[in-house]
Amino acid sequence: MSAKSLAVPLPIALVIVSFLCPTEFSLYIGGLRLPPHRLALLLLLPIAIAKMVTNRDQRFRIFDVFIILYGAWTIGVYTSHTGRDGFVYGGSLALEALGGYFVARAFVRTTEQLRASLKGVMTGILLAALIALPESLSGRLFTHEFLSQVTGYLHPVSIETRLGLTRAYGTFDHPIHYGTFCAALFALFWYAERRVTSRRFKAGTLGFATFLGLSSAPMLCLGLQGGMLVWDRVTRGIAARGALTVAGIAGLYIGMSLVSNRTPIEFIATGMTLDPWTGFYRLQIWTHGLENVWANPWTGIGLDDWQRPWWMVSDTVDAFWLVITMRQGIPAFILLALAIALLARAVMTRRYRHADRHVRQIALGWMMSLIALSLVGATVHYWNVLHAYYFFFLGLGGWIADPARAQLASFKTGVAVGAVSANGLASKTPEPISPGRPYPARGFGQTSAGGYAGRPYAPA
């Protein structure tokens, strides 16, 4: 295997670096603010689309189409609400979604490229943690303080302490963003790494880095993935474990409903957070946010302020799925949910059929991370870097859902060889069959050649 095949694809490296660049490095063009990650995606998106159009080893699938439709709807809805300002804002969101997704989708096409890309992300997490650690211990947000003096751009930050430590920002816009960036791909990292020692080191690093943000949602994201990893290990080999899992979750939900004066959702929101008030407030956000959704189901409220009780002073909507539905309408939620569901279905379908056990494990890890990130999206809004990062993660699953032709051929061959091996045939060289000679008693042996593959939204 060449060193080139193990290197991080250059576009992926550029995107990872852009995720780590502070918002103070934004470029202003004619009143339009372009943070580093948007600038990188603006340059790389056309290249990614061109690669997908011209490359014979990949094609547009139905989930790609729904992602594109979601981006188009986003631009159209905001434009219809507020004209030019809406077009700029909607275009920024669409750029982050389409850019993050298609750059990963186009340039990560093999197991080696995925593992190299994950090494790049891990390097970024280590760097982010090294910057966050002194902030957490000292109580000073060094990065934003220094860059505000250099650039003149004052990013809104606040000093918050929990457990005697300061919530670190690092280079990110918010501690929740920093923490989620570190925690998001925990299960994917676990299964992509073959060596046990490296797995444990990365798990410890991700856990420590996530903790420095002192945010409940990223820790919940980490905990969910850890729980799924343990459950996968414990139930391995048990028949119908999927049905068993669903039954167990349903039983736990019913049990909690019977013994508690709060619903299970209320208990989790208020009892499993570092700050119970935060959990209670988020429940109120959902309660009143859904009222806005039912009042404006088709095109949402756009950039207008949402209706809520007078005591809810902040316009913050800490819920990614609620923000999309409330501001862009129910069709936007349906388009995105369908895209993710179809992508996940394709990934899992290929997983069950793939000949390479390591790829099957990676697909399972990707699915666990997807579940955790999507659930956490009910209590955190993904905006700016985190918004693009979420779609970048979705794109990382594209090579499994839509394998290259060479991989597909290898997959088909592997299935054939595996099937023949089960009958004890592939391990032996097939005997030649001459005219007039009966077939060998063991039947035909098949060779590989003949085988059967924080915030409601950020300013634009």
Side-chain angles (χ1 to χ4, degrees):
M1 188 175 298
S2 66
K4 183 177 180 181
S5 65
L6 298 176
V8 183
L10 180 58
I12 300 297
L14 291 176
V15 169
I16 294 172
V17 170
S18 74
F19 288 158
L20 296 171
C21 289
T23 191
E24 286 87 352
F25 289 161
S26 297
L27 181 65
Y28 292 85
I29 302 177
L32 179 65
R33 186 175 73 91
L34 286 174
H37 71 283
R38 286 185 196 159
L39 183 60
L41 296 176
L42 182 64
L43 297 174
L44 293 172
L45 177 58
I47 300 174
I49 296 295
K51 184 177 185 297
M52 289 196 62
V53 170
T54 59
N55 191 351
R56 294 183 178 182
D57 280 342
Q58 58 189 144
R59 55 177 177 160
F60 283 94
R61 300 286 298 277
I62 184 64
F63 43 81
D64 299 320
V65 174
F66 274 108
I67 288 286
I68 294 172
L69 291 176
Y70 168 74
W73 181 273
T74 299
I75 296 173
V77 161
Y78 283 108
T79 302
S80 68
H81 278 290
T82 51
R84 180 184 179 279
D85 290 341
F87 176 78
V88 170
Y89 184 78
S92 299
L93 291 181
L95 173 63
E96 290 174 346
L98 298 179
Y101 175 81
F102 279 110
V103 169
R105 174 84 165 84
F107 293 101
V108 176
R109 300 296 299 151
T110 65
T111 311
E112 291 75 21
Q113 287 176 339
L114 174 73
R115 297 180 76 236
S117 299
L118 290 179
K119 287 181 180 178
V121 175
M122 177 56 74
T123 302
I125 291 173
L126 285 171
L127 180 60
L130 289 175
I131 296 174
L133 180 59
E135 292 187 347
S136 182
L137 296 176
S138 69
R140 292 189 58 187
L141 307 179
F142 295 106
T143 303
H144 289 297
E145 287 179 8
F146 173 73
L147 291 178
S148 65
Q149 297 175 0
V150 173
T151 64
Y153 176 78
L154 185 62
H155 180 70
V157 296
S158 60
I159 303 295
E160 299 177 68
T161 58
R162 291 177 179 175
L163 306 178
L165 298 171
T166 300
R167 300 181 67 190
Y169 280 70
T171 60
F172 291 85
D173 292 333
H174 195 277
I176 292 178
H177 285 201
Y178 161 76
T180 306
F181 178 80
C182 296
L185 310 187
F186 177 74
L188 183 56
F189 275 116
W190 182 269
Y191 280 126
E193 181 56 62
R194 289 188 172 96
R195 293 176 297 179
V196 176
T197 304
S198 295
R199 277 184 175 181
R200 292 173 178 172
F201 171 76
K202 289 181 178 179
T205 300
L206 293 176
F208 177 74
T210 302
F211 175 77
L212 295 177
L214 293 170
S215 298
S216 303
M219 293 183 187
L220 177 61
C221 182
L222 205 64
L224 284 171
Q225 294 175 84
M228 285 186 278
L229 288 170
V230 172
W231 183 252
D232 175 59
R233 180 69 178 178
V234 171
T235 61
R236 192 172 298 167
I238 298 178
R241 65 174 179 169
L244 180 64
T245 301
V246 173
I249 294 174
L252 183 62
Y253 187 92
I254 294 172
M256 290 179 65
S257 300
L258 293 176
V259 301
S260 176
N261 59 357
R262 293 177 290 176
T263 67
I265 301 300
E266 291 174 338
F267 175 80
I268 292 172
T270 59
M272 297 183 66
T273 59
L274 296 176
D275 184 359
W277 167 252
T278 299
F280 170 77
Y281 194 84
R282 285 175 179 169
L283 284 176
Q284 301 307 307
I285 287 174
W286 270 97
T287 299
H288 300 289
L290 286 175
E291 293 176 358
N292 285 260
V293 170
W294 307 134
N296 305 273
W298 295 109
T299 59
I301 64 174
L303 295 175
D304 293 339
D305 196 10
W306 60 296
Q307 299 300 313
R308 58 193 184 278
W310 63 269
W311 56 269
M312 297 180 70
V313 178
S314 173
D315 61 356
T316 296
V317 178
D318 290 319
F320 175 64
W321 302 109
L322 179 59
V323 169
I324 288 176
T325 312
M326 185 172 68
R327 298 200 173 278
Q328 299 166 224
I330 295 176
F333 170 80
I334 293 175
L335 288 172
L336 182 55
L338 276 174
I340 295 173
L342 291 170
L343 174 62
R345 179 179 180 274
V347 168
M348 295 307 289
T349 300
R350 292 292 181 188
R351 171 184 179 258
Y352 290 123
R353 298 178 181 177
H354 209 287
D356 188 339
R357 178 180 176 274
H358 188 56
V359 173
R360 295 198 299 269
Q361 291 293 91
I362 290 175
L364 181 60
W366 181 89
M367 192 67 194
M368 289 179 178
S369 294
L370 173 65
I371 292 172
L373 273 172
S374 298
L375 289 175
V376 169
T379 62
V380 171
H381 181 42
Y382 301 145
W383 49 280
N384 273 3
V385 166
L386 209 55
H387 183 244
Y389 186 53
Y390 179 70
F391 283 90
F392 175 81
F393 161 75
L394 293 178
L396 289 178
W399 68 279
I400 304 174
D402 177 37
R405 291 186 180 183
Q407 293 175 314
L408 191 60
S410 174
F411 155 69
K412 291 180 178 180
T413 301
V415 171
V417 172
V420 175
S421 297
N423 294 319
L425 301 178
S427 60
K428 298 181 180 295
T429 303
E431 300 180 30
I433 302 173
S434 58
R437 181 182 176 185
Y439 294 139
R442 291 187 298 274
F444 285 106
Q446 292 181 316
T447 65
S448 60
Y452 304 106
R455 294 173 66 174
Y457 46 108

